[in-house]
Amino acid sequence: MAKLRAFLAFWYDFIVGDDWRVAVTVAATLAVTVVVDRLTGTAPWWIMVAAVVLALPASVDRAIRKA
């Protein structure tokens, strides 16, 4: 049981890391990208790029204010 708990703790720390908001943004953006792809049939790669452009500065700003 301890090994399973350590395994899950590793993946939680790897995926979520220091900012859970970034993890939620990535998951939501991937979901939106899939939906747009299914509905339009085009390659909506730009959605992830836009999310990074918006989420990265916000995350860095939160880290600077926290420090």
Side-chain angles (χ1 to χ4, degrees):
M1 192 64 171
K3 288 183 180 182
L4 177 62
R5 184 169 290 162
F7 179 75
L8 294 175
F10 164 76
W11 281 107
Y12 177 83
D13 189 45
F14 181 73
I15 293 171
V16 175
D18 294 329
D19 194 356
W20 63 269
R21 292 172 194 97
V22 173
V24 170
T25 301
V26 168
T29 304
L30 285 172
V32 168
T33 302
V34 169
V35 169
V36 169
D37 180 48
R38 303 287 176 172
L39 292 177
T40 65
T42 60
W45 56 267
W46 52 270
I47 295 173
M48 188 59 77
V49 173
V52 168
V53 167
L54 295 173
L56 183 62
S59 177
V60 170
D61 184 53
R62 277 192 301 275
I64 290 171
R65 289 177 191 229
K66 188 177 179 181

